[in-house]
Amino acid sequence: MNQHFSKLFLHWFGIIFLAYLGLVTVQYLVIMPIETIMVERNVAVVSLLYLPHAVRVLGAWMVGPKSILALIPASIFVYFVTRPDTGPLTQADFIIPMVGALCAPVAFELMRFVRIDVYPKSTGVISWRTLVFAGLLSSIINSFFSTLFLEGRFPIEDTFDVLTRFIIGDVMGLVIVLLLLVGLLKTFRRFASV
């Protein structure tokens, strides 16, 4: 049983890690260039459509708090690879990726603490609204703490803009990925029934 658990864990660890890196790649190669043309301000700091947030939320949903074991290294790796600032490292450079990695598992555990269990049920029924709410809560956690530690990397008058774009970007990224996954599942079911 222990060997089976370790294989399953490595399987999920790899899926979460690679999915996060894959969506970050899409983020930087596709979404950021488009957003830079349309928005122009603070795009390097925050996005209006942040797809990797879906991996955080879905990883925390499927694996639980153990998802941080994949999310933390993925988040740190991405942060330092995409870090635009070449200056000396600060405390914030280590805290910001940790906040991103921890926001979804913390949100799920906070919800469980107040008796809102979002984790998958053995019945197979998924409460999509509750899952999106968990994504919203994790985004609020992420936006507040990330904005706090990003202080000085954007004009102070843009604070509200950055906070709201964090939330909008994370939630929109989650919703888009969920819609894509639901569409893919329906397509697979159609082909499987043929």
Side-chain angles (χ1 to χ4, degrees), residues 57-67 104-113 116-122 125-127 130-131 134:
V57 173
L58 292 173
W61 177 66
M62 291 187 293
V63 183
K66 291 178 286 219
S67 64
V106 166
F108 276 79
E109 289 303 303
L110 284 173
M111 289 177 71
R112 184 178 9 201
F113 181 74
I116 302 172
D117 190 7
V118 185
Y119 293 110
K121 312 281 186 283
S122 58
V125 176
I126 300 169
S127 172
T130 310
L131 185 60

Side-chain angles (χ1 to χ4, degrees), residues 3-64:
Q3 197 174 32
H4 175 70
F5 176 74
S6 65
K7 281 184 179 179
L8 182 66
F9 172 74
L10 289 174
H11 176 71
W12 283 112
F13 175 89
I15 289 173
I16 292 169
F17 189 87
L18 292 174
Y20 192 84
L21 294 183
L23 286 181
V24 165
T25 303
V26 170
Q27 189 73 34
Y28 276 84
L29 295 179
V30 178
I31 295 172
M32 272 188 75
I34 294 169
E35 207 168 348
T36 302
I37 293 167
M38 296 174 67
V39 179
E40 295 177 8
R41 289 182 64 168
N42 299 319
V43 173
V45 175
V46 64
S47 175
L48 283 168
L49 179 64
Y50 193 67
L51 299 176
H53 186 66
V55 177
R56 296 174 186 157
V57 173
L58 292 173
W61 177 66
M62 291 187 293
V63 183

Side-chain angles (χ1 to χ4, degrees), residues 3-184:
Q3 197 174 32
H4 175 70
F5 176 74
S6 65
K7 281 184 179 179
L8 182 66
F9 172 74
L10 289 174
H11 176 71
W12 283 112
F13 175 89
I15 289 173
I16 292 169
F17 189 87
L18 292 174
Y20 192 84
L21 294 183
L23 286 181
V24 165
T25 303
V26 170
Q27 189 73 34
Y28 276 84
L29 295 179
V30 178
I31 295 172
M32 272 188 75
I34 294 169
E35 207 168 348
T36 302
I37 293 167
M38 296 174 67
V39 179
E40 295 177 8
R41 289 182 64 168
N42 299 319
V43 173
V45 175
V46 64
S47 175
L48 283 168
L49 179 64
Y50 193 67
L51 299 176
H53 186 66
V55 177
R56 296 174 186 157
V57 173
L58 292 173
W61 177 66
M62 291 187 293
V63 183
K66 291 178 286 219
S67 64
I68 65 171
L69 299 174
L71 291 171
I72 287 173
S75 188
I76 290 171
F77 175 77
V78 164
Y79 183 83
F80 285 106
V81 167
T82 60
R83 184 175 177 254
D85 184 12
T86 57
L89 295 175
T90 65
Q91 230 179 359
D93 289 319
F94 295 97
I95 294 172
I96 291 167
M98 294 295 284
V99 167
L102 294 172
C103 66
V106 166
F108 276 79
E109 289 303 303
L110 284 173
M111 289 177 71
R112 184 178 9 201
F113 181 74
V114 296
R115 299 201 187 333
I116 302 172
D117 190 7
V118 185
Y119 293 110
K121 312 281 186 283
S122 58
T123 61
V125 176
I126 300 169
S127 172
W128 296 107
R129 274 188 259 160
T130 310
L131 185 60
V132 171
F133 178 77
L136 172 65
L137 179 60
S138 65
S139 178
I140 291 169
I141 293 167
N142 184 34
S143 69
F144 176 77
F145 287 104
S146 293
T147 303
L148 181 70
F149 289 105
L150 281 168
E151 183 184 4
R153 298 187 187 186
F154 56 87
I156 193 75
E157 62 270 10
D158 289 352
T159 302
F160 183 74
D161 178 52
V162 169
L163 274 168
T164 55
R165 281 174 51 188
F166 258 113
I167 294 169
I168 291 168
D170 286 354
V171 173
M172 289 301 296
L174 172 63
V175 169
I176 295 294
V177 170
L178 284 176
L179 289 173
L180 288 171
L181 288 175
V182 168
L184 286 172

